[in-house]
Structure formats: C-alpha cells, structure tokens
Amino acid sequence: MRALVTVPKNGTKQEQRNVAGLPSFSSWIDNFFDTDLETGLLSNFNHGLTLPAVNIKEDNDNYNLELAVPGMNKEDFNLELDNEILSIGVEKQTEDKIDNENYTRREFGYSSFKRTFTLPDTVDTEKINAKYENGILNIHIPKREEAKRKPAKRIDVS
C-alpha cells in the first residue's frame, strides 16, 4: 500500500558542489538570498507566502491534511484532483491606497503557493472535503472501505 507522498512543484533544491568540495557559485548565490535579510532594502518588498507547513495524519479510516495558511479566505483556495494528484493552491492580490491632503500612498502585494500530493489508490476520491478555519486548511481524505484495516482476529487451532 502506498503512503501519501509530497510531489515538489518547482523541483527540489539540491546542493551543488564542485570537485574541491566547495559550493558552486550558483548554490552560493541561492544560499545568500535564502537567508533572512531584513535590511531596509528588502523589508520594503512583499514577502508573499512561503510553502505552508503541512501535517499529515493517518488513522484506520482517513488521511487528514492540515495546512497552516493564516490570513486567507476560503475563496482564496483552489483545490483540484487530477487522477491521483491533489493540488492545493492560493493566489491572492491585495492593494491598499490612502489619499491624504499632502500625499498619496499606494501599496500592493501578491501572494501565491501551490502544493501537490500523490494520493494512494486506497482513497475514496468522491468523498474528499476541505474546511478552512482559524488559519488552518483541513482536508479530509477518507479511505475506501476495502482499504481500511480490519481489527485483529483470533484464530483457534484445532
């Protein structure tokens, strides 16, 4: 039986090294920009969303996914099931404009992410449902009846 598997959307980040064991120039640049640079220059840019943290729980009857995505509305989510691939995405644009006597300030932002999961063939895709509450997206993925684990049974020896 296959387990629920995360499928990277934009490829996986792999550390590149040259023959001498030092990081390559491209990985050095990637690492430089991956650090928390909260300088005046970078703090003025919209950070958007990073990939949200995901908890995956399995019990005898279901898989449950929990994604931490605060500040969204349920209408912001796009959940799609294509064959056995579950895609969860958000694309959100915001714009604030303040007009005052002496100045105009206009700020805008764009946030997005997409996570995909390969579902095992043991799930009942017709009964998948999702609920967004208190910044957590909960996705309930029930297993098919024949995939549910049966309780232990004692076999008598004759």
PDB file of all heavy atoms in Angstrom, residues 6-34:
ATOM      1  N   THR A   6       4.492  13.753  -0.935  1.00  0.00           N
ATOM      2  CA  THR A   6       4.593  15.119  -1.422  1.00  0.00           C
ATOM      3  C   THR A   6       5.346  15.119  -2.747  1.00  0.00           C
ATOM      4  O   THR A   6       6.381  14.498  -2.865  1.00  0.00           O
ATOM      5  CB  THR A   6       5.362  15.997  -0.419  1.00  0.00           C
ATOM      6  OG1 THR A   6       4.667  15.964   0.817  1.00  0.00           O
ATOM      7  CG2 THR A   6       5.471  17.419  -0.904  1.00  0.00           C
ATOM      8  N   VAL A   7       4.805  15.829  -3.732  1.00  0.00           N
ATOM      9  CA  VAL A   7       5.457  15.954  -5.026  1.00  0.00           C
ATOM     10  C   VAL A   7       5.915  17.399  -5.158  1.00  0.00           C
ATOM     11  O   VAL A   7       5.101  18.309  -5.118  1.00  0.00           O
ATOM     12  CB  VAL A   7       4.473  15.629  -6.172  1.00  0.00           C
ATOM     13  CG1 VAL A   7       5.139  15.840  -7.512  1.00  0.00           C
ATOM     14  CG2 VAL A   7       3.964  14.217  -6.032  1.00  0.00           C
ATOM     15  N   PRO A   8       7.229  17.668  -5.278  1.00  0.00           N
ATOM     16  CA  PRO A   8       7.689  19.048  -5.403  1.00  0.00           C
ATOM     17  C   PRO A   8       7.199  19.649  -6.718  1.00  0.00           C
ATOM     18  O   PRO A   8       7.273  19.006  -7.755  1.00  0.00           O
ATOM     19  CB  PRO A   8       9.204  18.948  -5.364  1.00  0.00           C
ATOM     20  CG  PRO A   8       9.516  17.537  -5.691  1.00  0.00           C
ATOM     21  CD  PRO A   8       8.314  16.711  -5.320  1.00  0.00           C
ATOM     22  N   LYS A   9       6.661  20.861  -6.672  1.00  0.00           N
ATOM     23  CA  LYS A   9       6.122  21.512  -7.855  1.00  0.00           C
ATOM     24  C   LYS A   9       7.220  22.154  -8.685  1.00  0.00           C
ATOM     25  O   LYS A   9       7.231  22.071  -9.888  1.00  0.00           O
ATOM     26  CB  LYS A   9       5.086  22.568  -7.431  1.00  0.00           C
ATOM     27  CG  LYS A   9       4.402  23.231  -8.591  1.00  0.00           C
ATOM     28  CD  LYS A   9       3.592  22.249  -9.359  1.00  0.00           C
ATOM     29  CE  LYS A   9       2.866  22.925 -10.498  1.00  0.00           C
ATOM     30  NZ  LYS A   9       2.202  22.024 -11.357  1.00  0.00           N
ATOM     31  N   ASN A  10       8.147  22.819  -8.045  1.00  0.00           N
ATOM     32  CA  ASN A  10       9.172  23.558  -8.764  1.00  0.00           C
ATOM     33  C   ASN A  10      10.518  22.844  -8.726  1.00  0.00           C
ATOM     34  O   ASN A  10      11.556  23.477  -8.819  1.00  0.00           O
ATOM     35  CB  ASN A  10       9.318  24.962  -8.168  1.00  0.00           C
ATOM     36  CG  ASN A  10       8.045  25.748  -8.325  1.00  0.00           C
ATOM     37  OD1 ASN A  10       7.326  25.564  -9.287  1.00  0.00           O
ATOM     38  ND2 ASN A  10       7.746  26.600  -7.372  1.00  0.00           N
ATOM     39  N   GLY A  11      10.513  21.569  -8.551  1.00  0.00           N
ATOM     40  CA  GLY A  11      11.768  20.827  -8.465  1.00  0.00           C
ATOM     41  C   GLY A  11      12.309  20.867  -7.051  1.00  0.00           C
ATOM     42  O   GLY A  11      11.833  21.603  -6.207  1.00  0.00           O
ATOM     43  N   THR A  12      13.279  20.059  -6.801  1.00  0.00           N
ATOM     44  CA  THR A  12      13.862  20.032  -5.469  1.00  0.00           C
ATOM     45  C   THR A  12      15.148  20.823  -5.476  1.00  0.00           C
ATOM     46  O   THR A  12      15.858  20.888  -6.468  1.00  0.00           O
ATOM     47  CB  THR A  12      14.150  18.590  -5.020  1.00  0.00           C
ATOM     48  OG1 THR A  12      15.013  17.989  -5.977  1.00  0.00           O
ATOM     49  CG2 THR A  12      12.882  17.790  -4.880  1.00  0.00           C
ATOM     50  N   LYS A  13      15.429  21.419  -4.349  1.00  0.00           N
ATOM     51  CA  LYS A  13      16.662  22.192  -4.214  1.00  0.00           C
ATOM     52  C   LYS A  13      17.772  21.229  -3.821  1.00  0.00           C
ATOM     53  O   LYS A  13      17.686  20.566  -2.802  1.00  0.00           O
ATOM     54  CB  LYS A  13      16.473  23.267  -3.156  1.00  0.00           C
ATOM     55  CG  LYS A  13      17.659  24.178  -3.040  1.00  0.00           C
ATOM     56  CD  LYS A  13      17.363  25.281  -2.078  1.00  0.00           C
ATOM     57  CE  LYS A  13      18.536  26.197  -1.970  1.00  0.00           C
ATOM     58  NZ  LYS A  13      18.293  27.280  -1.052  1.00  0.00           N
ATOM     59  N   GLN A  14      18.777  21.138  -4.646  1.00  0.00           N
ATOM     60  CA  GLN A  14      19.893  20.254  -4.364  1.00  0.00           C
ATOM     61  C   GLN A  14      21.146  21.092  -4.213  1.00  0.00           C
ATOM     62  O   GLN A  14      21.379  22.030  -4.958  1.00  0.00           O
ATOM     63  CB  GLN A  14      20.087  19.256  -5.494  1.00  0.00           C
ATOM     64  CG  GLN A  14      18.919  18.323  -5.653  1.00  0.00           C
ATOM     65  CD  GLN A  14      19.143  17.377  -6.819  1.00  0.00           C
ATOM     66  OE1 GLN A  14      20.081  17.514  -7.586  1.00  0.00           O
ATOM     67  NE2 GLN A  14      18.258  16.416  -6.957  1.00  0.00           N
ATOM     68  N   GLU A  15      21.952  20.758  -3.236  1.00  0.00           N
ATOM     69  CA  GLU A  15      23.211  21.458  -3.030  1.00  0.00           C
ATOM     70  C   GLU A  15      24.207  20.990  -4.074  1.00  0.00           C
ATOM     71  O   GLU A  15      24.403  19.803  -4.288  1.00  0.00           O
ATOM     72  CB  GLU A  15      23.731  21.170  -1.624  1.00  0.00           C
ATOM     73  CG  GLU A  15      24.895  22.034  -1.250  1.00  0.00           C
ATOM     74  CD  GLU A  15      25.264  21.841   0.201  1.00  0.00           C
ATOM     75  OE1 GLU A  15      24.360  21.616   1.016  1.00  0.00           O
ATOM     76  OE2 GLU A  15      26.462  21.903   0.498  1.00  0.00           O
ATOM     77  N   GLN A  16      24.807  21.958  -4.767  1.00  0.00           N
ATOM     78  CA  GLN A  16      25.775  21.637  -5.798  1.00  0.00           C
ATOM     79  C   GLN A  16      27.172  21.907  -5.258  1.00  0.00           C
ATOM     80  O   GLN A  16      27.420  22.917  -4.641  1.00  0.00           O
ATOM     81  CB  GLN A  16      25.532  22.493  -7.040  1.00  0.00           C
ATOM     82  CG  GLN A  16      24.164  22.296  -7.637  1.00  0.00           C
ATOM     83  CD  GLN A  16      23.909  23.296  -8.761  1.00  0.00           C
ATOM     84  OE1 GLN A  16      24.709  24.175  -9.021  1.00  0.00           O
ATOM     85  NE2 GLN A  16      22.767  23.151  -9.403  1.00  0.00           N
ATOM     86  N   ARG A  17      28.094  21.000  -5.510  1.00  0.00           N
ATOM     87  CA  ARG A  17      29.467  21.175  -5.063  1.00  0.00           C
ATOM     88  C   ARG A  17      30.398  20.895  -6.236  1.00  0.00           C
ATOM     89  O   ARG A  17      30.124  20.042  -7.070  1.00  0.00           O
ATOM     90  CB  ARG A  17      29.789  20.232  -3.902  1.00  0.00           C
ATOM     91  CG  ARG A  17      28.983  20.553  -2.669  1.00  0.00           C
ATOM     92  CD  ARG A  17      29.582  19.855  -1.454  1.00  0.00           C
ATOM     93  NE  ARG A  17      28.894  20.297  -0.267  1.00  0.00           N
ATOM     94  CZ  ARG A  17      29.267  21.323   0.477  1.00  0.00           C
ATOM     95  NH1 ARG A  17      30.306  22.037   0.154  1.00  0.00           N
ATOM     96  NH2 ARG A  17      28.587  21.654   1.561  1.00  0.00           N
ATOM     97  N   ASN A  18      31.509  21.601  -6.249  1.00  0.00           N
ATOM     98  CA  ASN A  18      32.491  21.318  -7.285  1.00  0.00           C
ATOM     99  C   ASN A  18      33.457  20.247  -6.790  1.00  0.00           C
ATOM    100  O   ASN A  18      33.324  19.738  -5.692  1.00  0.00           O
ATOM    101  CB  ASN A  18      33.214  22.596  -7.731  1.00  0.00           C
ATOM    102  CG  ASN A  18      34.017  23.222  -6.602  1.00  0.00           C
ATOM    103  OD1 ASN A  18      34.300  22.584  -5.599  1.00  0.00           O
ATOM    104  ND2 ASN A  18      34.380  24.483  -6.782  1.00  0.00           N
ATOM    105  N   VAL A  19      34.470  19.964  -7.565  1.00  0.00           N
ATOM    106  CA  VAL A  19      35.379  18.865  -7.256  1.00  0.00           C
ATOM    107  C   VAL A  19      36.100  19.072  -5.935  1.00  0.00           C
ATOM    108  O   VAL A  19      36.327  18.146  -5.180  1.00  0.00           O
ATOM    109  CB  VAL A  19      36.400  18.690  -8.414  1.00  0.00           C
ATOM    110  CG1 VAL A  19      37.402  17.604  -8.084  1.00  0.00           C
ATOM    111  CG2 VAL A  19      35.666  18.384  -9.694  1.00  0.00           C
ATOM    112  N   ALA A  20      36.446  20.321  -5.603  1.00  0.00           N
ATOM    113  CA  ALA A  20      37.202  20.591  -4.384  1.00  0.00           C
ATOM    114  C   ALA A  20      36.334  20.533  -3.135  1.00  0.00           C
ATOM    115  O   ALA A  20      36.829  20.719  -2.038  1.00  0.00           O
ATOM    116  CB  ALA A  20      37.865  21.965  -4.487  1.00  0.00           C
ATOM    117  N   GLY A  21      35.022  20.294  -3.263  1.00  0.00           N
ATOM    118  CA  GLY A  21      34.136  20.201  -2.106  1.00  0.00           C
ATOM    119  C   GLY A  21      33.553  21.539  -1.677  1.00  0.00           C
ATOM    120  O   GLY A  21      32.863  21.622  -0.684  1.00  0.00           O
ATOM    121  N   LEU A  22      33.848  22.599  -2.424  1.00  0.00           N
ATOM    122  CA  LEU A  22      33.295  23.912  -2.111  1.00  0.00           C
ATOM    123  C   LEU A  22      31.989  24.105  -2.863  1.00  0.00           C
ATOM    124  O   LEU A  22      31.789  23.540  -3.937  1.00  0.00           O
ATOM    125  CB  LEU A  22      34.285  25.007  -2.514  1.00  0.00           C
ATOM    126  CG  LEU A  22      35.619  24.968  -1.765  1.00  0.00           C
ATOM    127  CD1 LEU A  22      36.574  25.989  -2.374  1.00  0.00           C
ATOM    128  CD2 LEU A  22      35.415  25.231  -0.289  1.00  0.00           C
ATOM    129  N   PRO A  23      31.085  24.927  -2.318  1.00  0.00           N
ATOM    130  CA  PRO A  23      29.830  25.151  -3.025  1.00  0.00           C
ATOM    131  C   PRO A  23      30.063  25.827  -4.368  1.00  0.00           C
ATOM    132  O   PRO A  23      30.985  26.625  -4.513  1.00  0.00           O
ATOM    133  CB  PRO A  23      29.038  26.066  -2.088  1.00  0.00           C
ATOM    134  CG  PRO A  23      29.822  26.209  -0.847  1.00  0.00           C
ATOM    135  CD  PRO A  23      31.177  25.648  -1.069  1.00  0.00           C
ATOM    136  N   SER A  24      29.222  25.499  -5.333  1.00  0.00           N
ATOM    137  CA  SER A  24      29.321  26.160  -6.628  1.00  0.00           C
ATOM    138  C   SER A  24      28.831  27.590  -6.486  1.00  0.00           C
ATOM    139  O   SER A  24      28.171  27.951  -5.518  1.00  0.00           O
ATOM    140  CB  SER A  24      28.483  25.418  -7.665  1.00  0.00           C
ATOM    141  OG  SER A  24      27.115  25.574  -7.361  1.00  0.00           O
ATOM    142  N   PHE A  25      29.163  28.407  -7.461  1.00  0.00           N
ATOM    143  CA  PHE A  25      28.768  29.821  -7.427  1.00  0.00           C
ATOM    144  C   PHE A  25      27.248  29.962  -7.358  1.00  0.00           C
ATOM    145  O   PHE A  25      26.719  30.749  -6.591  1.00  0.00           O
ATOM    146  CB  PHE A  25      29.321  30.558  -8.650  1.00  0.00           C
ATOM    147  CG  PHE A  25      28.964  32.012  -8.668  1.00  0.00           C
ATOM    148  CD1 PHE A  25      29.584  32.898  -7.793  1.00  0.00           C
ATOM    149  CD2 PHE A  25      27.996  32.494  -9.533  1.00  0.00           C
ATOM    150  CE1 PHE A  25      29.258  34.242  -7.789  1.00  0.00           C
ATOM    151  CE2 PHE A  25      27.662  33.830  -9.533  1.00  0.00           C
ATOM    152  CZ  PHE A  25      28.307  34.714  -8.662  1.00  0.00           C
ATOM    153  N   SER A  26      26.521  29.151  -8.166  1.00  0.00           N
ATOM    154  CA  SER A  26      25.060  29.267  -8.188  1.00  0.00           C
ATOM    155  C   SER A  26      24.445  28.867  -6.845  1.00  0.00           C
ATOM    156  O   SER A  26      23.494  29.496  -6.386  1.00  0.00           O
ATOM    157  CB  SER A  26      24.460  28.429  -9.317  1.00  0.00           C
ATOM    158  OG  SER A  26      24.747  27.067  -9.125  1.00  0.00           O
ATOM    159  N   SER A  27      24.984  27.844  -6.176  1.00  0.00           N
ATOM    160  CA  SER A  27      24.426  27.477  -4.871  1.00  0.00           C
ATOM    161  C   SER A  27      24.785  28.514  -3.820  1.00  0.00           C
ATOM    162  O   SER A  27      24.017  28.765  -2.895  1.00  0.00           O
ATOM    163  CB  SER A  27      24.889  26.086  -4.436  1.00  0.00           C
ATOM    164  OG  SER A  27      26.263  26.074  -4.176  1.00  0.00           O
ATOM    165  N   TRP A  28      25.959  29.167  -3.969  1.00  0.00           N
ATOM    166  CA  TRP A  28      26.325  30.237  -3.041  1.00  0.00           C
ATOM    167  C   TRP A  28      25.355  31.405  -3.169  1.00  0.00           C
ATOM    168  O   TRP A  28      24.892  31.951  -2.183  1.00  0.00           O
ATOM    169  CB  TRP A  28      27.763  30.695  -3.324  1.00  0.00           C
ATOM    170  CG  TRP A  28      28.210  31.796  -2.413  1.00  0.00           C
ATOM    171  CD1 TRP A  28      28.683  31.663  -1.151  1.00  0.00           C
ATOM    172  CD2 TRP A  28      28.186  33.189  -2.693  1.00  0.00           C
ATOM    173  NE1 TRP A  28      28.963  32.906  -0.626  1.00  0.00           N
ATOM    174  CE2 TRP A  28      28.662  33.857  -1.555  1.00  0.00           C
ATOM    175  CE3 TRP A  28      27.806  33.946  -3.810  1.00  0.00           C
ATOM    176  CZ2 TRP A  28      28.774  35.239  -1.494  1.00  0.00           C
ATOM    177  CZ3 TRP A  28      27.921  35.317  -3.748  1.00  0.00           C
ATOM    178  CH2 TRP A  28      28.404  35.945  -2.587  1.00  0.00           C
ATOM    179  N   ILE A  29      25.002  31.761  -4.415  1.00  0.00           N
ATOM    180  CA  ILE A  29      24.045  32.846  -4.644  1.00  0.00           C
ATOM    181  C   ILE A  29      22.680  32.462  -4.073  1.00  0.00           C
ATOM    182  O   ILE A  29      22.026  33.262  -3.403  1.00  0.00           O
ATOM    183  CB  ILE A  29      23.927  33.171  -6.152  1.00  0.00           C
ATOM    184  CG1 ILE A  29      25.231  33.782  -6.665  1.00  0.00           C
ATOM    185  CG2 ILE A  29      22.747  34.082  -6.443  1.00  0.00           C
ATOM    186  CD1 ILE A  29      25.551  35.139  -6.097  1.00  0.00           C
ATOM    187  N   ASP A  30      22.233  31.213  -4.318  1.00  0.00           N
ATOM    188  CA  ASP A  30      20.947  30.756  -3.772  1.00  0.00           C
ATOM    189  C   ASP A  30      20.947  30.847  -2.254  1.00  0.00           C
ATOM    190  O   ASP A  30      19.985  31.313  -1.653  1.00  0.00           O
ATOM    191  CB  ASP A  30      20.653  29.316  -4.191  1.00  0.00           C
ATOM    192  CG  ASP A  30      20.321  29.186  -5.660  1.00  0.00           C
ATOM    193  OD1 ASP A  30      19.978  30.213  -6.276  1.00  0.00           O
ATOM    194  OD2 ASP A  30      20.406  28.063  -6.174  1.00  0.00           O
ATOM    195  N   ASN A  31      22.022  30.395  -1.609  1.00  0.00           N
ATOM    196  CA  ASN A  31      22.104  30.439  -0.148  1.00  0.00           C
ATOM    197  C   ASN A  31      22.114  31.866   0.365  1.00  0.00           C
ATOM    198  O   ASN A  31      21.537  32.164   1.405  1.00  0.00           O
ATOM    199  CB  ASN A  31      23.348  29.695   0.347  1.00  0.00           C
ATOM    200  CG  ASN A  31      23.242  28.206   0.157  1.00  0.00           C
ATOM    201  OD1 ASN A  31      22.142  27.675   0.038  1.00  0.00           O
ATOM    202  ND2 ASN A  31      24.368  27.537   0.106  1.00  0.00           N
ATOM    203  N   PHE A  32      22.762  32.773  -0.359  1.00  0.00           N
ATOM    204  CA  PHE A  32      22.815  34.174   0.045  1.00  0.00           C
ATOM    205  C   PHE A  32      21.412  34.772   0.097  1.00  0.00           C
ATOM    206  O   PHE A  32      21.030  35.432   1.044  1.00  0.00           O
ATOM    207  CB  PHE A  32      23.698  34.970  -0.923  1.00  0.00           C
ATOM    208  CG  PHE A  32      23.746  36.439  -0.607  1.00  0.00           C
ATOM    209  CD1 PHE A  32      24.533  36.902   0.430  1.00  0.00           C
ATOM    210  CD2 PHE A  32      23.000  37.341  -1.346  1.00  0.00           C
ATOM    211  CE1 PHE A  32      24.577  38.251   0.730  1.00  0.00           C
ATOM    212  CE2 PHE A  32      23.039  38.688  -1.056  1.00  0.00           C
ATOM    213  CZ  PHE A  32      23.832  39.154  -0.016  1.00  0.00           C
ATOM    214  N   PHE A  33      20.609  34.497  -0.943  1.00  0.00           N
ATOM    215  CA  PHE A  33      19.272  35.075  -0.986  1.00  0.00           C
ATOM    216  C   PHE A  33      18.263  34.306  -0.143  1.00  0.00           C
ATOM    217  O   PHE A  33      17.181  34.795   0.119  1.00  0.00           O
ATOM    218  CB  PHE A  33      18.786  35.204  -2.431  1.00  0.00           C
ATOM    219  CG  PHE A  33      19.459  36.328  -3.160  1.00  0.00           C
ATOM    220  CD1 PHE A  33      20.398  36.070  -4.135  1.00  0.00           C
ATOM    221  CD2 PHE A  33      19.183  37.638  -2.833  1.00  0.00           C
ATOM    222  CE1 PHE A  33      21.035  37.107  -4.794  1.00  0.00           C
ATOM    223  CE2 PHE A  33      19.812  38.686  -3.486  1.00  0.00           C
ATOM    224  CZ  PHE A  33      20.745  38.425  -4.460  1.00  0.00           C
ATOM    225  N   ASP A  34      18.590  33.100   0.288  1.00  0.00           N
ATOM    226  CA  ASP A  34      17.696  32.347   1.161  1.00  0.00           C
ATOM    227  C   ASP A  34      17.811  32.779   2.609  1.00  0.00           C
ATOM    228  O   ASP A  34      16.979  32.422   3.431  1.00  0.00           O
ATOM    229  CB  ASP A  34      17.985  30.839   1.087  1.00  0.00           C
ATOM    230  CG  ASP A  34      17.421  30.224  -0.179  1.00  0.00           C
ATOM    231  OD1 ASP A  34      16.562  30.870  -0.814  1.00  0.00           O
ATOM    232  OD2 ASP A  34      17.846  29.111  -0.523  1.00  0.00           O
TER     233      ASP A  34
END
